[in-house]
Amino acid sequence: MSNQPEHPALLIPGPIEFDDAVLQSMSHYSESHVGAPFVSTFGETLSMLRKLFQTSDSSSQPFVVSGSGTLGWDMVAANLAEPDDDVLVLHTGYFADSFTDCFEIYGAKVTQIKAPIGDRPQLPDIEKALKEKKYKLITVTHVDTSTGVLSEIKALSELVHQVSPDTLVVVDGVCSVGCEEICFDEWGIDVVLTASQKAIGCPAGLCIMMCSGRAIESFKNRKTPPGSYFASFKNWLPIMQNYEAKKPSYFATPSPQLIHSLHTSLTQILSKPLSDRFAAHREASQRIKSTVTSLGLKQLASKPENQANGMTAIYLPNEIKPPEILPNLLKKGVIFAGGLHKEIATKYIRFGHMGVSVTDHKRGDIDRALEALKMSLSEVGYTPQ
């Protein structure tokens, strides 16, 4: 059981609930960011990220930089795209539009392949686009937080390497790293970007990335300097390399407390086989989605292969709106999120189920949430058909 003060279970698609030990790590006493104890902790954290992303390639490089997952977009766009480079963005929801905006700020020319709401772009369409133009990058949102749509990364990466082998494969894994399998080396991925506050289970405030050696070489071969100072690999690459080698280094001050929190969470995650963690998330997801179906409700991602394991986006029935149901859930000790996709935001709610709420059954978060959902729907007059 948690020792935290009593509070509603935060079951949105991030931030998520924290384990007690992770939260306690945030209260670490103040220390020098270039002192040996912290440098050792940061170095271990970077090395553990290699295990989480499943990369043993010494040319790949983990980054941990103060900021949100959005900073990851900036780092990709500023360092790996140059003005007038063509970028192919696969669209499964709100966040593809935002990534597109980011690329365009840096002068890249973006083409989107947009799927209907709840679906994902299909491989034949992607192949056709890749054959029509040479793209510097292709990006895919592994799990779009606005729709709960899961993209298939392995098959996509295989296609890109076959059809357009020079194109870098970039994965937005903000809502997937830690609850969906990612085999960085085996699948031939060039970049995965994520954030600390979702399935990794830490407080918000850290942008986390893994870059392949191929991506780093692409950066080094730029014709123009990066369009950002803070996000530039020129500034961050030597810092990350030095920290991982347990050498003090400085460009911008990191947050020692957040790094300690991440170190604790990664230690917990890696204490068991990653396959067990991913299986636990699949099992919880299937149980939740089965309950949703039994209540006569529909998901935005209607096809099983498109359904994420760390969240579920649920259409509300009978023209019920999120403000009618979310307060009832809160009264029962559960917090869900309203809709985010601008075209249908008033029609659905989002249930996040990742991290400690899934892996620590003693908390009872999932049971409480499902019961609260049933009762809250009943209270607004809905009866399953």
Side-chain angles (χ1 to χ4, degrees), residues 291-298 317-318 320 377 381-385:
T291 301
V292 167
T293 299
S294 72
L295 290 171
L297 305 177
K298 296 181 179 179
N318 302 351
I320 297 170
L377 286 167
Y382 174 69
T383 301
Q385 300 299 314

Side-chain angles (χ1 to χ4, degrees), residues 5-74:
E6 187 173 340
H7 63 278
L10 186 59
L11 296 171
I12 65 175
I16 67 169
E17 286 287 327
F18 307 132
D19 180 82
D20 287 0
V22 171
L23 199 56
Q24 183 63 31
S25 296
M26 282 293 291
S27 66
H28 195 282
Y29 55 81
S30 189
E31 62 183 337
S32 170
H33 57 290
V34 292
F38 175 70
V39 171
S40 178
T41 297
F42 204 158
E44 291 173 3
T45 300
L46 291 166
S47 295
M48 284 192 285
L49 284 172
R50 293 182 180 275
K51 297 178 181 178
L52 178 62
F53 286 93
Q54 301 189 72
T55 174
S56 57
D57 188 340
S58 60
S59 71
S60 62
Q61 180 60 52
F63 292 81
V64 179
V65 180
S66 295
S68 69
T70 305
L71 176 60
W73 294 340
D74 233 32

Side-chain angles (χ1 to χ4, degrees), residues 182-223:
I182 296 176
C183 300
F184 192 85
D185 289 353
E186 181 185 337
W187 295 352
I189 303 170
D190 291 297
V191 179
V192 177
L193 64 96
T194 190
S196 52
Q197 78 276 10
K198 301 212 178 195
I200 290 176
C202 292
L206 294 176
C207 170
I208 299 166
M209 291 180 61
M210 186 65 70
C211 293
S212 69
R214 196 169 77 131
I216 298 300
E217 284 304 309
S218 176
F219 162 72
K220 291 179 178 179
N221 292 329
R222 288 179 63 95
K223 297 184 180 74

Side-chain angles (χ1 to χ4, degrees), residues 111 113 125-135 163:
T111 300
I113 300 181
D125 296 326
I126 299 168
E127 180 176 0
K128 180 174 182 290
L130 290 171
K131 288 179 176 178
E132 289 175 346
K133 188 184 296 185
K134 183 179 176 66
Y135 289 98
V163 176

Side-chain angles (χ1 to χ4, degrees), residues 156-201:
L156 171 65
S157 186
E158 288 175 350
L159 173 66
V160 175
H161 283 280
Q162 290 168 4
V163 176
S164 184
D166 293 332
T167 300
L168 298 178
V169 179
V170 177
V171 178
D172 179 339
V174 170
C175 198
S176 69
V177 173
C179 62
E180 304 283 356
E181 185 171 32
I182 296 176
C183 300
F184 192 85
D185 289 353
E186 181 185 337
W187 295 352
I189 303 170
D190 291 297
V191 179
V192 177
L193 64 96
T194 190
S196 52
Q197 78 276 10
K198 301 212 178 195
I200 290 176

